[in-house]
Amino acid sequence: MSSITIEDGSVVSHAWSGVFAMTLCVMAIIASEFLPVSLLTPIASDLNISEGYAGQSISVSGLFAVMTSLFLTTIIGNHDRKHVMLFFTGLMAISGTIVTFAPNAEIVMFGRALLGICIGGFWGMSASIIMRLVPEETVPKALSVLNAGNAFAMMVAAPLGSYLGGMIGWRGSFFCIVPIVLITFVWQYISLPNMPARRDVSHRPGIKSLIDLLRQRRVQLGMGSTFLLFMGMLSVFTYLRPFLETTLGVNSETLSLLLLALGVSGLVGTFSIGFFLQRTLYGVLISFPFLLSLSVLAMIAVGTSLPLMFVVISIWGFLSTAVPVGWWTWLSKTIPENAEAGGGLMVAVIQLAITLGAASGGVLYDMAGYQTTFTFGAIILGLAAVLAAISGKYNQGV
């Protein structure tokens, strides 16, 4: 693999093998993180817990991802970023194995906590590593490729998890990811170049760099909108399966088809988002959360109509999978000089939002049902659009 080592010790690679290896890692991470969504009912039944409590398995991974990403630069220090990436990938395989053979809910939560460490570590470094693997002008394209792994995992994991759950059980579904993680480990070992820690002052490890970023008004507004976006989405998405089972009374085959429609539309959204971002970044960041809010209300409104639910679910999938690319693009344009700390902060914000979204959604779902839960999510998504609009106006004025 051809590469150029520049003065600060970073490596710019013109071969994309490392990007594709990280994309496969994204697929494994997303599949692992959100697999409980398609298996919530059988997990709850097997472990003798409520569906709301089973949904906290996503909250736990999100919580540990927050803690990891907040202290990421301190934890990894001056270690070579390739070795750190391999560590997090190996830990993901251990997590999947623990969850597969967990005898009770507590051990499941422990395995999910380990996964959270992997999530926080990977996403905290992903943007900065991508910026070191490819030339500056191709960074947005590389980020889109990376997020394509996200979309593909969402397309495959949910329906396949639901289908496999009916065939080999939820434990077998989780274990199917472990071989993929091991393949990812080997590919990353071969394809990623050595990436020593940057030695310049702006990349010095420590939480101080995160605090300095948060003092910037543009970062506060952007991160605030990102937080509301992911909190609103996860308060809805986590409980999509019990919602569909309750309103439509669907069997596992129909449920798999609905989730497949969501995933396919998400994949289309990921490959289409670059077209919109080239024309109006803030147009995407404002309009997509607003349309997501409307689609959640539409889910409630269409009720028992299966054909209309297919349409609304597809719209949701297109928007929800594409919009994160917008915020990662915003990050690369807003603070390119401090991408590693910015990436860690972004991951902390997203995972905290995921944690609170899944947790609050679980409480509301157990107490008041899907209508209250989904209405709550729609309101939060609407607020995300408002804050994105304020962020756009502020950035035009600076």
Side-chain angles (χ1 to χ4, degrees), residues 90 183 230 233 278 322 366:
I183 292 172
F230 278 87
M233 287 197 304
Q278 288 175 357
D366 282 345

Side-chain angles (χ1 to χ4, degrees), residues 10 21 23 52 72 82 113 157 194 215 224 235 255 301:
S10 65
T23 301
L72 179 64
K82 172 181 179 177
N194 290 324
R215 288 174 177 163
S235 65
L255 177 65

Side-chain angles (χ1 to χ4, degrees), residues 22 25 29 68-69 71-92 114 117-126 128-129 132 181 184-185 188-189 192-198 205 340:
M22 290 181 63
C25 192
I29 287 176
T68 302
S69 56
F71 298 97
L72 179 64
T73 53
T74 300
I75 294 170
I76 64 179
N78 293 321
H79 292 289
D80 189 295
R81 275 26 182 177
K82 172 181 179 177
H83 301 155
V84 176
M85 184 64 72
L86 291 173
F87 168 78
F88 286 129
T89 305
L91 192 61
M92 181 163 45
L114 294 182
I117 295 173
C118 306
I119 294 168
F122 177 87
W123 285 114
M125 296 191 303
S126 61
S128 63
I129 289 180
R132 296 172 70 170
V181 177
T184 301
F185 182 94
Q188 287 179 332
Y189 179 81
L192 290 178
N194 290 324
M195 290 176 281
R198 296 182 185 270
E340 193 167 280

Side-chain angles (χ1 to χ4, degrees), residues 169-215:
W170 68 269
R171 297 178 187 273
S173 299
F174 272 95
F175 192 70
C176 285
I177 299 175
V178 175
I180 299 175
V181 177
L182 296 177
I183 292 172
T184 301
F185 182 94
V186 174
W187 192 358
Q188 287 179 332
Y189 179 81
I190 295 171
S191 63
L192 290 178
N194 290 324
M195 290 176 281
R198 296 182 185 270
R199 294 187 292 271
D200 58 286
V201 175
S202 64
H203 291 84
R204 215 167 20 192
I207 199 169
K208 182 179 182 298
S209 57
L210 300 181
I211 297 175
D212 291 340
L213 282 177
L214 278 174
R215 288 174 177 163

Side-chain angles (χ1 to χ4, degrees), residues 35-335:
L35 198 57
V37 172
S38 62
L39 298 168
L40 211 60
T41 303
I43 290 174
S45 177
D46 184 44
L47 298 177
N48 196 27
I49 56 178
S50 71
E51 291 169 336
Y53 183 56
Q56 305 309 322
S57 61
I58 294 178
S59 303
V60 168
S61 61
L63 177 62
F64 277 82
V66 169
M67 293 188 292
T68 302
S69 56
L70 279 177
F71 298 97
L72 179 64
T73 53
T74 300
I75 294 170
I76 64 179
N78 293 321
H79 292 289
D80 189 295
R81 275 26 182 177
K82 172 181 179 177
H83 301 155
V84 176
M85 184 64 72
L86 291 173
F87 168 78
F88 286 129
T89 305
L91 192 61
M92 181 163 45
I94 295 174
S95 165
T97 304
I98 289 175
V99 171
T100 299
F101 297 102
N104 52 51
E106 288 73 22
I107 301 301
V108 168
M109 297 301 177
F110 173 72
R112 299 289 296 177
L114 294 182
L115 176 65
I117 295 173
C118 306
I119 294 168
F122 177 87
W123 285 114
M125 296 191 303
S126 61
S128 63
I129 289 180
I130 289 294
M131 292 170 70
R132 296 172 70 170
L133 287 175
V134 301
E136 181 179 354
E137 62 272 15
T138 59
V139 167
K141 179 181 178 181
L143 289 173
S144 293
V145 170
L146 194 69
N147 203 66
N150 179 347
F152 186 77
M154 296 294 285
M155 179 184 74
V156 174
L160 189 60
S162 176
Y163 176 76
L164 289 176
M167 297 289 292
I168 60 176
W170 68 269
R171 297 178 187 273
S173 299
F174 272 95
F175 192 70
C176 285
I177 299 175
V178 175
I180 299 175
V181 177
L182 296 177
I183 292 172
T184 301
F185 182 94
V186 174
W187 192 358
Q188 287 179 332
Y189 179 81
I190 295 171
S191 63
L192 290 178
N194 290 324
M195 290 176 281
R198 296 182 185 270
R199 294 187 292 271
D200 58 286
V201 175
S202 64
H203 291 84
R204 215 167 20 192
I207 199 169
K208 182 179 182 298
S209 57
L210 300 181
I211 297 175
D212 291 340
L213 282 177
L214 278 174
R215 288 174 177 163
Q216 301 179 34
R217 182 66 171 168
R218 57 180 181 168
V219 175
Q220 293 172 359
L221 291 171
M223 294 294 177
S225 181
T226 303
F227 174 84
L228 291 173
L229 170 71
F230 278 87
M231 182 177 178
M233 287 197 304
L234 266 295
S235 65
V236 174
F237 180 68
T238 306
Y239 304 97
L240 203 53
R241 172 168 180 160
F243 161 72
L244 294 172
E245 290 175 331
T246 299
T247 57
L248 297 174
V250 295
N251 55 29
S252 60
E253 289 79 11
T254 305
L255 177 65
S256 297
L257 289 175
L258 280 164
L259 296 176
L260 181 62
L262 182 149
V264 170
S265 59
L267 192 63
V268 173
T270 297
F271 285 108
S272 304
I273 190 65
F275 173 83
F276 299 102
L277 290 175
Q278 288 175 357
R279 286 154 179 78
T280 169
L281 172 60
Y282 276 98
V284 169
L285 300 180
I286 296 168
S287 64
F288 276 41
F290 176 72
L291 294 173
L292 278 168
S293 178
L294 295 181
S295 69
V296 174
L297 296 177
M299 287 183 198
I300 300 174
V302 299
T304 58
S305 173
L306 183 59
L308 289 178
M309 190 63 73
F310 265 105
V311 174
V312 176
I313 285 289
S314 298
I315 294 172
W316 167 273
F318 180 93
L319 297 169
S320 63
T321 309
V323 70
V325 180
W327 281 112
W328 283 106
T329 302
W330 169 86
L331 178 71
S332 69
K333 292 180 178 295
T334 305
I335 46 175

